[in-house]
Amino acid sequence: MIPFLNLQALNRRFEDEFQEALRRVLSKGWYIQGEECRAFETEFAAYCGVEHAVGVGNGLDALVLILRALLETGRLQPGDEVLVPGNTFIASALAVSACGLRVRLVEPELSRFNLDPQAVEAAIGERTRAILAVHLYGRLVDMPALADIARRHGLLLLEDAAQAHGARLGARRAGAWGVAAGFSLFPGKPLGALGDGGVVTTDDSELALTIRSLRNYGSMIKYQHDRKGGNSRLDELQAAFLRIKLRCLDADNQARHGIALRYAQGLDQRVLCLPEIPAEVEIHSWHLYVIRSANRDALQQHLLKSGVQTLIHYPTPIHRQAAYRELGNLNLPITEMLSEQVLSLPIYPGLSAQQVDQVIEACNSFAVNEPEFSV
C-alpha cells in the first residue's frame, strides 16, 4: 500500500539531529519560551521576509490571536465581517467566530481552488472589515489582486498560510503579503512539528507585541497581566525540531514540485481535472495534490483496491456543517461541486518514482471507462 503520507520516513531523515536537539533542550532544563523558540521565531521570520514571527500552540490559535490582537488594538470591532473562502477547512471560519466576528463565505476560483478576487469584491458589504486569504493546498491566492481590493475598500488583508510554508510569488513568500499571517505546524504540513504548533508572521510591531502578550496570559512581565489573554505557546522541543526541518523546507517543496510535474505529465487529463502547474515565477508548496473527478468516490475506492491511499479535502463544506447551520441557506455552487469532486493523491518527499508511476497507472486504469471530464 502506498500511504497517503509517510511521516515515519519523513522524520527519520532527521533522527540524529532530533536526538541532539533533545539532548540540548534537556541539558538546559527550559521547556517553554526559551532560547529555542526565540531562535526559531528569528529564523522563520527571516525565511518569510518579515520583521516578526511569534510561536504559538497551533494553527487555529495563530488565526485567533491575530484577530484578537486586531480587536485589542481597535482595528476590528465585535460584529465586524470577515470574508472567508467557502471551500477552506473549518478552522479558518472557527477563528473568526471565536473572536465575535461574522463569517461571510465567498466562492473560490476553479482553476486555483483559492478565493476568486471578483467574488471577493462583489461580497464586500457595509460591515466587511477584513479578507482572510487562505492559501489552500499550498498555492498562493492571487495576492496582488486582493491587496488592490483591500487598499481600495480600506480592508485588512490577512493570510491563512496553514498549508503554504515556502510558497511564493517572485521573491515574496506566504506570510509576507498581509497585515499578518497564521501558519499551522501540524505534523503533516510542509513544515511540520512532531506535535502541535503554530506561528504568526507580521511586519507590524504593535500587533506582534500584542500577540506575544495574548499567547501568555496577557502578560509580558511575570505576574503582571495587561490583557485577558490565554495560553498558547510553542514549546522548546518542538521549536528545536522545527529549526532543523526549516533548513530543508525549500528542498522538500522542490521534491513535491517534481512529483506534481510527473503527475501532470502522466495522468489522463481527458477524464481527470488536474491542478494547474504555476509559472516559474510562482512557487507552490504542494502541501496537497488535488485532482477532480465526476466519480470521485468510485475513483477513491478503485485506488484503494489498487494499493493507493487517498484523502478528501474537504468532503463537507462549512455552510453544510452543523456548527454553521445559520449559513445553511447559502448558495455556493462552486464550493459544493468541489466538495463532491476533489481527491488528494500522495505527494511528499521520499515518494519514489516507482510509487508515483503506480499512482498514475491506478488512476489511468480507472479512467479507461470514464466519460471525458467537463466543468
Side-chain angles (χ1 to χ4, degrees):
M1 177 69 69
I2 298 174
F4 178 74
L5 180 63
N6 189 340
L7 285 176
Q8 295 96 323
L10 280 172
N11 287 317
R12 197 177 298 124
R13 301 175 296 165
F14 308 108
E15 187 170 353
D16 291 343
E17 292 175 275
F18 287 164
Q19 293 286 356
E20 175 55 35
L22 173 60
R23 285 191 292 270
R24 190 169 67 243
V25 172
L26 287 174
S27 69
K28 292 175 182 175
W30 193 286
Y31 305 112
I32 301 289
Q33 290 191 289
E35 294 177 6
E36 297 290 344
C37 184
R38 287 192 293 272
F40 171 70
E41 290 174 337
T42 298
E43 291 160 8
F44 192 71
Y47 177 82
C48 292
V50 297
E51 290 294 321
H52 308 282
V54 184
V56 299
N58 54 67
L60 175 57
D61 282 359
L63 297 176
V64 169
L65 288 166
I66 290 168
L67 294 168
R68 281 204 59 191
L70 291 168
L71 287 162
E72 287 276 336
T73 56
R75 283 179 269 184
L76 286 175
Q77 300 296 326
D80 282 349
E81 184 178 82
V82 181
L83 304 184
V84 178
N87 62 319
T88 185
F89 181 54
I90 197 171
S92 307
L94 290 175
V96 176
S97 301
C99 294
L101 302 165
R102 294 175 56 193
V103 174
R104 175 74 180 271
L105 297 179
V106 180
E107 289 273 61
E109 297 177 305
L110 272 176
S111 60
R112 292 174 177 238
F113 301 119
N114 278 329
L115 271 175
D116 182 343
Q118 291 185 346
V120 166
E121 189 144 29
I124 295 170
E126 291 184 3
R127 294 306 305 273
T128 306
R129 297 293 180 271
I131 303 167
L132 182 57
V134 181
H135 305 309
L136 198 66
Y137 309 147
R139 183 171 189 174
L140 286 181
V141 184
D142 186 348
M143 295 305 287
L146 289 190
D148 178 64
I149 292 169
R151 178 187 55 78
R152 287 189 284 104
H153 292 274
L155 304 178
L156 297 166
L157 179 57
L158 310 173
E159 296 175 76
D160 181 342
Q163 303 178 358
H165 317 65
R168 60 181 172 85
L169 178 60
R172 198 169 182 181
R173 295 189 190 271
W177 288 88
V179 175
F183 290 82
S184 169
L185 302 171
F186 184 77
K189 295 299 194 289
L191 179 64
L194 273 68
D196 238 331
V199 61
V200 174
T201 58
T202 183
D203 280 322
D204 189 314
S205 296
E206 180 188 27
L207 204 64
L209 188 65
T210 304
I211 291 169
R212 291 187 187 281
S213 170
L214 288 170
R215 74 171 177 180
N216 188 43
Y217 303 103
S219 172
M220 294 299 293
I221 300 172
K222 194 170 184 178
Y223 300 133
Q224 180 177 315
H225 304 273
D226 303 314
R227 298 177 174 87
K228 296 182 179 70
N231 176 6
S232 182
R233 302 172 298 196
L234 180 65
D235 71 73
E236 285 290 279
L237 189 56
Q238 296 305 331
F241 292 158
L242 288 161
R243 294 180 66 198
I244 294 165
K245 298 183 75 173
L246 179 59
R247 296 195 289 267
C248 295
L249 178 56
D250 284 343
D252 281 355
N253 285 348
Q254 187 59 43
R256 292 186 181 91
H257 181 70
I259 296 169
L261 288 176
R262 182 68 188 90
Y263 280 150
Q265 294 162 357
L267 289 170
D268 190 338
Q269 298 188 47
R270 295 171 302 172
V271 295
L272 300 174
C273 186
L274 309 186
E276 288 183 348
I277 298 294
E280 288 184 8
V281 71
E282 183 183 354
I283 302 301
H284 191 330
S285 70
W286 294 107
H287 170 56
L288 299 171
Y289 188 90
V290 181
I291 64 173
R292 291 166 52 209
S293 169
N295 292 314
R296 186 267 314 281
D297 294 343
L299 172 60
Q300 185 177 42
Q301 288 303 310
H302 171 81
L303 292 176
L304 187 62
K305 291 176 182 177
S306 302
V308 178
Q309 189 179 58
T310 60
L311 290 177
I312 299 170
H313 299 88
Y314 302 97
T316 305
I318 293 168
H319 67 295
R320 297 296 182 224
Q321 299 282 356
Y324 281 97
R325 56 178 59 86
E326 69 272 19
L327 303 179
N329 291 329
L330 288 178
N331 180 31
L332 299 172
I334 297 175
T335 293
E336 292 179 15
M337 180 177 69
L338 289 175
S339 73
E340 296 168 356
Q341 293 183 350
V342 293
L343 186 66
S344 301
L345 303 181
I347 184 167
Y348 49 88
L351 196 65
S352 71
Q354 182 180 2
Q355 289 175 313
V356 174
D357 287 343
Q358 184 179 335
V359 175
I360 292 171
E361 183 180 347
C363 287
N364 289 348
S365 67
F366 175 81
V368 168
N369 297 315
E370 288 292 293
E372 291 197 8
F373 189 87
S374 61
V375 177

